[in-house]
Amino acid sequence: MSGKRAFLELLKQEGVDIIFGNPGTTELPLMDALAVESDLRYVLALQEAAVMAMADGYAQASGKLAVVNLHVAPGLGNAMGMLYDAQKSGAPILVTAGQHDQSFNVTEPILWADLPTIARPLVKWSSEVHRLADLPRLVHRAAKTAMAPPTGPVFLSLPGDILNAEGDVDLSAPTRIAPRVRGDRTAIEAAAALLAGAERPLIIAGDAVAQGRAHAELIELAEMIGAPVYAEFVPNTASFPASHPLFRGTLARLAPAVRAVLEQYDLLFSAGGDLLTLSLPSPIEPIPDGLAIIHLDVDPWELGKNFPARVAILGDPKATLPEISAAVRHRMTSGDRGRAGERLAAVSKAIRAEREALRAKAKAAAGQTPVQAQSLFQALGAMLPRDAVMVEEAVSSSPGLRQLIDSDDPQSFFGLRGGGIGWGLPAAIGVKLALPDRPVVALIGDGSAMYTCQALWTAAHDRVAVIFIILNNSSYRILKQRLNALRGHAAQTDVYVGMDLVDPAIDYVGLARSLGIAAERTRTVAETIDLVGKALAAGAPMLIDVTLDRSFKPM
Ligand SMILES: Cc1ncc(C[n+]2csc(CCOP(=O)(O)OP(=O)(O)O)c2C)c(N)n1
Ligand SMILES: [Mg+2]
């Protein structure tokens, strides 16, 4: 068997059905093998950042191994920003790149560099194949490592001489590490003792809850102790059903805002929640003194990483939460149960009132032009079918999004965890490829869309029916907000250098149409909703460029 054929057979053994890539000469052996391959689909993206983010969306939405194939050092280089995002979201991706023949590399040919070294800081494991006989072991090791909790990207360099070599190849077989690791019994009892008697508990729900499909298990615990559930600081999954009465929305990424919330509580239970990825330094400690922390996570690195945990449990939420709930139930006195019941009623009532107020405010502004983002989200929330999947890179427009659009099942929402913008537009394509029967709506900032707008061509070419909504405030609004808050020269002179996307205004409609996507500009919520309805019915990709309010100063 040839190396190139063996590689494809190995991927199929690993359950792979799509390779996301952008080819060059060093990938030609692979492209040659794909010419006679019918079980693996090659999805071409026209820039490597788009390739990587598509694979990320696909991996997250499918829970399966995604495969990426890039072109030597510049191809890998272009993909690095999105590889960073994939690392932060723990997307299981086998990133591969073609390399020159090993005997040629000593001359330092064009595009050559030491690829595993470049990829290494952003992946769980990084290597190169040096003998055809090692190819199966290394591919299986790569796939096993990417899929092992905590999941994440891995890198494998594929020299041309390995792909072109012929020999007897034993394909061997995949390994999957069973993910349902149960937490330590003693730690579970210690956690239960704290939870049963807590006066003012809160829960932060993280990605592991959605990835492990543990909504029901977390709901059981939250209702039992009457605790509100916050989405973690940078939510990139629906870690809790948005319409549940205890869902309190997303915490901010700034220490003072986090502290203001946490000060209301005496016990924090983090179910795989991120503690804490903040976006700016602050002299204010986000965690108040006296807030006890119970931290459950699939990744030992995250446990107590920044703040000491009173109880740290290494375990999978799906497997461990029922044991915690059982232990809490066993320990709760009738007094505890009474107080928890009162909390459940009071917290649900407060959350309902808050949500209704937010909805009413958004509705009241629905006729305004330019469009207010929250009014658009409210209207979308009211019209989208229950199985709609949101992909979010709304940046400064994101507050309130999770409360205004009900994303209720674990695959119903994907957001930008890593912070490297340009992720959302291609990620939405990957999500739709993973969930072809569900409507996928991507909410993308105008600035963010420009990093990877080439992905629109892939949506057109591969008929991937995503509805792309460009939240167009013709600016890097979040940067203006942050710069204004610094109260420096920019705030005094009202000059914001490098943050206005005007003169010329970007023609997203023309851009999308040039790449084969139907597109329209809208100036009202009503027009936008009307178009979304038409796009849903058409089942084809569409871009809607919504002119948003660009004001950024606090009222
Ligand atoms: C790869 C990358 N480059 C630059 C940045 C810095 N950055 C963060 S937000 C932002 C602007 C986002 O603009 P837009 O998508 O229009 O959202 P808005 O702030 O207007 O809501 C920039 C440039 C980043 N996070 N990632
Ligand atoms: Mg913008």
Side-chain angles (χ1 to χ4, degrees):
M1 194 186 284
S2 63
K4 58 192 182 185
R5 169 66 19 215
F7 180 66
L8 299 185
E9 295 302 324
L10 291 163
L11 295 186
K12 287 192 270 182
Q13 282 185 333
E14 294 288 352
V16 172
D17 44 23
I18 301 183
I19 300 175
F20 296 89
N22 186 272
T25 46
T26 50
E27 292 69 47
L28 293 184
L30 214 54
M31 305 320 283
D32 190 51
L34 284 167
V36 290
E37 169 58 56
S38 50
D39 295 333
L40 284 167
R41 175 173 176 190
Y42 185 88
V43 173
L44 172 65
L46 305 183
Q47 214 275 11
E48 290 84 355
V51 174
M52 186 65 75
M54 270 178 217
D56 184 346
Y58 179 83
Q60 288 197 56
S62 68
K64 287 172 41 170
L65 182 70
V67 173
V68 160
N69 186 241
L70 305 168
H71 182 49
V72 230
L76 177 57
N78 282 347
M80 290 294 275
M82 296 297 106
L83 180 57
Y84 176 89
D85 286 342
Q87 180 201 34
K88 293 299 172 193
S89 62
I93 306 175
L94 168 54
V95 182
T96 65
Q99 178 57 290
H100 289 288
D101 288 6
Q102 295 176 83
S103 59
F104 191 34
N105 285 335
V106 69
T107 69
E108 303 192 356
I110 190 164
L111 303 163
W112 173 87
D114 180 16
L115 301 180
T117 302
I118 297 176
R120 192 158 287 128
L122 300 183
V123 296
K124 291 175 76 178
W125 179 73
S126 187
S127 195
E128 184 168 76
V129 186
H130 296 299
R131 299 186 316 156
L132 176 57
D134 295 331
L135 184 67
R137 180 165 283 136
L138 293 180
V139 171
H140 289 313
R141 185 183 299 170
K144 175 216 66 159
T145 303
M147 294 293 291
T151 56
V154 297
F155 178 78
L156 196 58
S157 162
L158 303 170
D161 56 301
I162 301 291
L163 295 176
N164 284 320
E166 302 260 349
D168 288 336
V169 183
D170 174 2
L171 291 176
S172 187
T175 299
R176 282 292 178 274
I177 297 175
R180 301 277 177 246
V181 176
R182 263 182 225 178
D184 178 272
R185 268 314 307 177
T186 314
I188 286 171
E189 287 300 333
L194 288 172
L195 288 163
E199 299 280 332
R200 285 168 291 126
L202 88 150
I203 294 174
I204 296 179
D207 297 341
V209 177
Q211 283 154 0
R213 307 286 184 262
H215 277 181
E217 290 76 4
L218 188 57
I219 290 169
E220 185 190 10
L221 179 65
E223 290 179 351
M224 192 188 310
I225 63 171
V229 181
Y230 289 80
E232 63 186 330
F233 299 79
V234 190
N236 79 310
T237 59
S239 54
F240 201 71
S243 66
H244 191 278
L246 287 173
F247 180 63
R248 193 74 167 69
T250 303
L251 284 170
R253 298 179 203 181
L254 300 168
V258 173
R259 188 181 175 106
V261 169
L262 297 185
E263 269 175 345
Q264 305 163 49
Y265 302 99
D266 64 356
L267 178 65
L268 161 59
F269 176 63
S270 169
D274 166 19
L275 303 178
L276 303 165
T277 302
L278 297 167
S279 54
L280 290 175
S282 168
I284 293 174
E285 264 302 309
I287 305 275
D289 291 340
L291 180 71
I293 299 176
I294 302 170
H295 199 168
L296 166 68
D297 207 285
V298 294
D299 185 354
W301 176 255
E302 293 300 327
L303 292 169
K305 183 176 77 175
N306 291 323
F307 308 98
R310 190 81 65 83
V311 183
I313 310 173
L314 179 64
D316 168 61
K318 180 96 180 167
T320 307
L321 284 168
E323 300 210 357
I324 295 176
S325 294
V328 171
R329 187 178 297 111
H330 186 70
R331 281 171 183 268
M332 277 177 118
T333 62
S334 65
D336 292 335
R337 270 194 295 278
R339 281 186 293 277
E342 284 162 22
R343 278 196 303 269
L344 175 62
V347 169
S348 306
K349 192 170 161 217
I351 290 175
R352 193 181 322 116
E354 195 183 78
R355 212 176 288 177
E356 277 165 11
L358 180 70
R359 290 203 168 144
K361 188 166 159 245
K363 254 185 175 163
Q368 280 184 27
T369 48
V371 167
Q372 302 291 321
Q374 292 197 339
S375 301
L376 177 61
F377 300 158
Q378 194 280 329
L380 277 171
M383 69 86 66
L384 286 172
R386 285 198 66 79
D387 64 341
V389 182
M390 305 307 302
V391 178
E392 189 247 320
E393 192 170 282
V395 198
S396 76
S397 300
S398 64
L401 177 89
R402 293 292 320 279
Q403 280 111 317
L404 292 165
I405 301 178
D406 285 343
S407 300
D408 276 347
D409 71 86
Q411 289 164 300
S412 60
F413 176 88
F414 298 95
L416 173 62
R417 160 56 58 88
I421 57 177
W423 170 87
L425 201 152
I429 296 171
V431 167
K432 179 72 182 171
L433 285 166
L435 304 170
D437 299 329
R438 297 181 65 164
V440 175
V441 179
L443 293 165
I444 312 289
D446 54 329
S448 298
M450 287 310 292
Y451 292 75
T452 46
C453 53
Q454 303 89 336
L456 293 171
W457 179 86
T458 303
H461 181 74
D462 284 69
R463 316 282 191 272
V464 188
V466 174
I467 303 174
F468 302 98
I469 298 182
I470 305 297
L471 302 168
N472 191 350
N473 49 32
S474 55
S475 58
Y476 291 159
R477 182 166 168 264
I478 191 134
L479 300 184
K480 289 179 154 186
Q481 287 176 333
R482 296 262 168 99
L483 189 52
N484 179 254
L486 295 180
R487 302 258 147 263
H489 299 305
Q492 275 155 28
T493 57
D494 209 24
V495 174
Y496 294 83
V497 176
M499 299 176 189
D500 284 306
L501 306 182
V502 296
D503 190 19
I506 298 166
D507 176 9
Y508 291 89
V509 171
L511 176 70
R513 288 183 184 161
S514 79
L515 295 169
I517 300 263
E520 298 293 342
R521 176 168 303 134
T522 60
R523 291 191 172 76
T524 65
V525 169
E527 274 178 288
T528 312
I529 295 301
D530 185 49
L531 272 176
V532 171
K534 287 184 179 140
L536 285 172
M542 169 146 205
L543 181 141
I544 306 172
D545 174 12
V546 188
T547 306
L548 280 198
D549 184 6
R550 65 198 305 276
S551 62
F552 61 95
K553 291 176 189 164
M555 300 285 222

